[in-house]
Amino acid sequence: MNSLKKLFGGNTRQFGMIFALIALVVFFQWQTGGKTLTSANMMNLFNGNSYILILAIGMVLVIIAGHIDLSVGSIAAFAGIVVAITIRDWGIPWYLGIVVGLLLGALIGAWQGFWVAYVGIPAFIVTLAGMLLFRGANQFVGKSNTVPVPREFQYIGSGYLPEVGPATGYNNLTLLLGFFLVGVVIYNELKLRRRLQRVGAETTEAWVSVLKLVLVSAAILYATYLFATGRPGTSFPVPGLILGVLVIIYGFISNKTITGRHVYAVGGNRHAAELSGVKSKRVNFLVMMNMSILAALAGMIFVGRSTASGPFDGVGWELDAIAAVFIGGAAVTGGVGTVVGSIIGGLVMAVLNNGLQLLGIGADMTQIIKGLVLLIAVAFDVYNKSQGKPSITGLLTRNFGNRPRSGPPAAAQQPAPAEQGVGTKGIISHDV
Amino acid sequence: MDHHTILEMRSITKEFPGVKALADVSLTVSAGEIHAICGENGAGKSTLMKVLSGVYPHGDYQGSIVFQGEEVRFRDIRSSEAAGIVIIHQELALIPELSIAENIFLGNEPTRFGVIDWDQINSSTLELMARVGLSEDPTTKIKDIGVGKQQLVEIAKALSKSVKLLILDEPTAALNESDSQHLLDLMAGLRAKGITCIMISHKLNEIEQIADSITIIRDGRTIETLHVRNDGVDEDRIIRGMVGRSLDSRFPDHTPNIGETFFEVRDWTVGHPSVADRLVCKGSNFHVRRGEVVGFAGLMGAGRTELARSIFGRSYGNFKSGRIFKDGKEVVLKSVPQAIDHGLAYVTEDRKSLGLNLLDDIKATTVSANLRKITNGLVVDRDQEFTVAEQYRKSLRTKTPSVNEGISKLSGGNQQKVVLAKWMFTDPDLLILDEPTRGIDVGAKFEIYGIIQKLADQGKGVIVISSELPELLGLSDRIYTIFEGAITGELARGEANQESLMRLMTASRKSA
C-alpha cells in the first residue's frame, strides 16, 4: 500500500476518481465480453457525451462561484436552431454560423449574468426562467420544426481527424496527437520535479515518476491505438478534440489566472473576497456568461452530430452536467471543484450509461442506477465530512491541475470558540 | 421590597478549549430587583447568562445554580423557561415574516382539538401587548415594526411564559433615546409587579438610573457586587471596577518614530446600510501620521468597524459625505480595489466570515489581495506564490508544517498572521487592524503586537481598533474614542488611561 501511495505522488486520493473510472471500464469490458474498449464504442462514447462534458466545464465554474445554471439545455437548443436557420435562410457559411452561435451565447449569457450579478437575483431563479424562456424561443423561432444543417457544419459534431501523410495503416493525425500528449505528460512531470526541487519542496523518488509516466503513457497510447485503428474514415472524433482543447484552456484559466483564482475566492467566501479587492459582481457575471457561451457551443456540436436542430434538443442536459460536476467533487455551497474532476465525473456517468446500454439494460434501470450512483457518491462525501474526515471526492480531484485546495470545509464550520493554542496542527491533520 | 434571594449562582466555571471563560463566578440576585451585570467586552457576561439560561447545559460547566431555593440543572433553554427564566438576546430571536401574535406564541401555540386557536392567540396577545405598552395590531408582521417595538414583543413573549426572572442582554444597544427610556420605564414597571430582571448593559447612565444592584465581572471573575442605594454608586465607581487591572509588560519594548501626517479623514458621515435615517458615522475627523499607531476605542456597536470599513473603499454603509486626504491630496475611494491601490489595508474583526476563505490554503491566502504582483502576463506564478508565502511564514513565525496547509487547520493566532501577511504583501501605507488579537492567546498576541510595531517602524500608519483597553493603551501613540458613531475624544499616549477612555467611550456626563 505504501508503495502504491508513493507511486501516485504520495497522494492516493488524488487518483481515486480515476481508479473508479478505470474500475468501471474494466468491469464493463469484462461483463460485455470486450465490447467496451473497441474503436467504435470509444468514438461513440466521445461523440455522444462531449457536449455534456463541455457543459460540465462551464457548470463547474458556475458551481464553484456558488451558483447553478438550469438553462443550459434550453440555451443549447435555442442557439442550435438560430444557427441552423441562419445558415439555411441567409446562406452564410458554416464557420460564420458558429460565430453567430457563440455570439448569441454571449448575449444570452450577458442577459443572465446581468440579473444574477448586478440585480442580485439567485441564479436558480434566473436560469429557471431562462430554461422556460429559451426553450420557448427555440420552438418559436423554429416553429417547433426540425431544421437540418449542411454537411460541413456536421463536421464539428460527428467529424473525425482527416487522413493525411503516408499510408501507415493508422490514422496519422491521431497517432501524432497521441505521441504529442505523451510528450507533454513527460515534459510536465520533469518540469514539476525541477520546480519542486527549486523551491525546496519534497520530491518523490525517481522510480515513482518513471512508473507513473509509463502507466499514463501506456493508457494514452492504448487509446491512441483504439482511435487510430477504427473502421476506415474514422479516427479521433472532432468533438473530443474540441473538448480536449477546452479542458486545457479552462484548466489553465481556473488554475493559473487571476480570474480563475477570483472565482474560487468568491465561491469560498464572497465577503472576504470583496474585502480583498475582488470584484465579485464581475466574477459572477463572467461565469454566468461563460456558461451560456459553452452551452451554445454544446448545442451546435449536438446539432452537428444529429444533422438537424429540433425543438427538444438539450432536454435534461443541465441535470447531466450538474450531476457530473457534483460527482467530480464540487461542493453545493461553492468554493470547491475542479474542471478535470468534473470531466472525470462526467466520464463516470458516460461510461456507466454506455456500459449498461451495451449490457442491454433498459433505460428504466439505467436511470435508477445513475440516480443511485450520484446519491451515493455525494452521500459518501457528506458522510466523510461529517466524520471530520476529508471530503473524498473533493480531495480525490483537488490536486488535479496543480491546484491544491485545502482541507475539509466541514472542519471549518465546526465551532472554534477560541484560540486553540499552538498544537492544533496535530489534531486536525488528515494526512496519513 | 422583599429581599429574599431568588437566584444564586455558585462558583460557576466554564471552559472553552484553551480558554477559561468563567472562573469561579458567583452571582446572587434578590427577588424583585433589577440586577445589572457590567464588564468589558469579553469579560464573560454573556457566557454567564448562557449558563444560567441553559444554552450551555448542566454538565458543561462546573458549579451550581439555585433558583427559588432549589438547585436546578437545565438541559436546554426550554427547561430554563419552564422554570421561569427567560433570556432576551441582543440579537432578537423573532421571525420577521411572522406576525406579532405568531411570534409571541411560537413553539407554545394554544390549540383546541389539535388545531391552533387563533382567537385565543390574538386576544392573549392584545392583553400581553397592553402590559408592555404596545399598541399594534397583533397580526402586524414583525418586520413592519421598529426595533424598539420588537424589543417589547420579546418582553411580551417572555411574559406569556409566566416569567419570574427576565434576562436582558444589551436591551437598549440598538434603540434610540426615547425607545430606551420607554424600555427602562417598562422594566421598572415589571419590577413593581415582582418580576426580577438581570440586565447586561454598557450604558452606565442607564444602569445608574435603574439598577438596584450591580455585579461587576472582569476576566471571567466576579469582582464585586454593589448595592446602588447603600454604596453610593456612580459611574466612576463602576468604571473603576470594570477596568481595575494593572498594565503589565505585555508589550514589546518600542520607541516610536513618528513622522508627518499623511492620512486624514474629514467630516466622515455614513448611513446605516438598511435603516434609512440612522447614521453609523457622524462627521468624524481624524488623522494618522507616518510611523504612528493610532488606537480607536469604543464599545461594541459604537461604530468603530463601520467607520473603518466605510473608509476602506466604502465597503460598509451608505456613504453620505466626507473627504479623505492622503499625502496632502484628496483621494476618492469608491471601491475596495481603489482603496487597496491607494495603499490601504483592512484586517477585519471577523476573521472567519469576512477575512478568510477557509477552503483555501496558506499560500493562496497570502497572495490573494495582490495577485497581480506575482502574475506574469496571464499566469499566476506558483513558484513565486510559494516563495512569498514561505517568506512571510518565516518572518511572522507562523506555526504550520507547510504553506500548503489549509487555513482551517490553523489556530486563530496563526490564521491572523496569515491575514496580516496577506495585507503586508499589498505593501500598504495605512493598515487598519480591527480587533487584531480577538480570539488569540497571550503568546500570539505578543507576537502580533511586535508585528504591528515593526510595521509602524517601516513608516506605515497603523490604526488599531480594539475592545481591550489595556491593549490600546499599550500599543497606541494616540487614541480616539468613539461613542454612537461620533468621535468623542482624542488622547495622546500620556493622557490616556482606562478611566479616561471609558468615560469618553460611554460618553459619560462627566466627560473628561
Side-chain angles (χ1 to χ4, degrees), chain B residues 9 12 14 16 20-23 25 27 37-52 56 169 200 202 216-222:
Chain B
M9 298 180 81
I12 304 288
K14 165 79 188 159
F16 294 112
K20 213 173 216 181
L22 295 175
V25 170
L27 174 69
I37 297 182
C38 293
E40 285 183 293
N41 298 336
K45 300 167 300 208
S46 293
T47 310
L48 184 67
M49 290 305 107
K50 283 179 180 168
V51 167
L52 174 55
Y56 301 127
D169 189 355
I200 296 177
H202 281 309
I216 294 173
I217 295 181
R218 191 202 310 149
D219 297 333
R221 290 166 203 282
T222 319

Side-chain angles (χ1 to χ4, degrees), chain B residues 451-506:
Chain B
I451 296 168
I452 291 172
Q453 291 172 342
K454 215 177 280 173
L455 287 167
D457 288 343
Q458 290 164 12
K460 302 177 189 304
V462 183
I463 291 178
V464 175
I465 298 171
S466 177
S467 297
E468 291 185 39
L469 296 184
E471 174 172 294
L472 281 180
L473 291 167
L475 269 179
S476 315
D477 302 309
R478 203 152 48 87
I479 301 179
Y480 289 101
T481 54
I482 302 188
F483 176 71
E484 291 186 346
I487 291 184
T488 52
E490 177 187 354
L491 298 172
R493 184 178 271 279
E495 314 170 296
N497 57 43
Q498 300 202 42
E499 279 81 8
S500 60
L501 286 178
M502 189 58 94
R503 237 176 246 123
L504 289 164
M505 282 157 64
T506 49

Side-chain angles (χ1 to χ4, degrees), chain A residues 85-350:
Chain A
I85 287 178
T86 44
I87 292 178
R88 186 192 62 184
D89 294 354
W90 300 0
I92 59 171
W94 64 273
Y95 49 85
L96 275 188
I98 292 176
V99 173
V100 167
L102 293 176
L103 283 178
L104 182 66
L107 205 66
I108 293 172
W111 159 263
Q112 304 214 97
F114 164 75
W115 291 106
V116 173
Y118 294 104
V119 185
I121 296 176
F124 188 93
I125 306 296
V126 171
T127 59
L128 186 62
M131 187 178 176
L132 298 169
L133 246 153
F134 300 112
R135 174 65 54 195
N138 163 288
Q139 295 172 358
F140 176 76
V141 171
K143 301 187 177 62
S144 293
N145 286 326
T146 301
V147 179
V149 288
R151 179 178 296 278
E152 304 85 42
F153 192 87
Q154 291 169 19
Y155 189 71
I156 64 161
S158 56
Y160 295 96
L161 291 179
E163 296 286 349
V164 288
T168 51
Y170 300 99
N171 178 276
N172 290 332
L173 282 180
T174 307
L175 285 186
L176 280 178
L177 190 66
F179 294 146
F180 176 71
L181 271 182
V182 170
V184 168
V185 168
I186 293 174
Y187 173 76
N188 273 342
E189 180 71 18
L190 290 178
K191 208 174 97 178
L192 178 72
R193 288 186 68 87
R194 230 180 308 138
R195 204 195 84 180
L196 289 179
Q197 274 160 6
R198 194 170 60 233
V199 295
E202 208 180 316
T203 48
T204 49
E205 291 146 56
W207 70 268
V208 176
S209 285
V210 171
L211 188 53
K212 192 165 117 189
L213 284 180
V214 168
L215 287 178
V216 173
S217 305
I220 294 175
L221 291 176
Y222 181 63
T224 308
Y225 169 77
L226 279 182
F227 284 117
T229 56
R231 71 190 155 76
T234 66
S235 61
F236 192 70
V238 172
L241 195 66
I242 298 175
L243 174 68
V245 171
L246 289 176
V247 168
I248 291 169
I249 293 175
Y250 281 92
F252 176 82
I253 292 177
S254 65
N255 290 323
K256 306 219 168 192
T257 66
I258 292 183
T259 312
R261 286 287 186 99
H262 284 181
V263 175
Y264 281 95
V266 168
N269 185 342
R270 182 180 171 163
H271 299 294
E274 283 173 356
L275 283 177
S276 302
V278 175
K279 291 170 181 150
S280 66
K281 285 180 182 169
R282 213 183 62 153
V283 169
N284 288 333
F285 180 81
L286 284 180
V287 294
M288 293 310 290
M289 175 151 144
N290 175 65
M291 177 77 259
S292 294
I293 297 174
L294 289 180
L297 179 63
M300 289 188 286
I301 288 174
F302 181 77
V303 167
R305 174 174 149 81
S306 57
T307 73
S309 167
F312 297 108
D313 289 357
V315 171
W317 285 5
E318 56 281 341
L319 302 181
D320 285 339
I322 292 168
V325 170
F326 285 128
I327 290 179
V332 186
T333 45
V336 179
T338 58
V339 170
V340 177
S342 305
I343 294 297
I344 292 172
L347 283 175
V348 165
M349 282 304 221

Side-chain angles (χ1 to χ4, degrees), chain A residues 195 198-201 252 254-259 261-262 264-269 271-279 334-336 398 401-409 411-414 416-422 424-425 428-431, chain B residues 16-19 309 312 315 336-337 340 346 348 351-361 363-364 367-369 371-372 375 378-380 382-383 385-387 399-401 404-414 422-423 439-441 444:
Chain A
R195 204 195 84 180
R198 194 170 60 233
V199 295
F252 176 82
S254 65
N255 290 323
K256 306 219 168 192
T257 66
I258 292 183
T259 312
R261 286 287 186 99
H262 284 181
Y264 281 95
V266 168
N269 185 342
H271 299 294
E274 283 173 356
L275 283 177
S276 302
V278 175
K279 291 170 181 150
V336 179
R398 70 171 195 174
N402 252 341
R403 183 183 168 78
R405 313 286 314 154
S406 83
Q413 283 151 17
Q414 282 161 7
E419 170 73 15
Q420 293 185 313
V422 282
T424 39
K425 61 184 181 237
I428 344 182
S429 174
H430 302 291
D431 287 293
Chain B
F16 294 112
V19 171
R309 285 187 58 189
F312 188 61
S315 54
V336 173
I340 295 174
Y346 171 70
T348 169
R351 224 168 16 242
K352 290 215 160 85
S353 65
L354 299 178
L356 287 170
N357 177 359
L358 291 166
L359 304 171
D360 237 328
D361 57 26
K363 58 178 174 3
V367 296
S368 65
L371 276 172
R372 258 178 299 167
T375 302
L378 263 182
V379 187
V380 177
R382 282 169 189 283
D383 293 356
E385 173 183 49
F386 184 87
T387 324
K399 287 184 197 82
T400 168
N404 294 318
E405 203 71 12
I407 285 287
S408 58
K409 293 185 186 176
L410 298 180
S411 68
N414 287 310
K422 163 176 140 185
W423 287 110
I440 288 176
D441 66 23

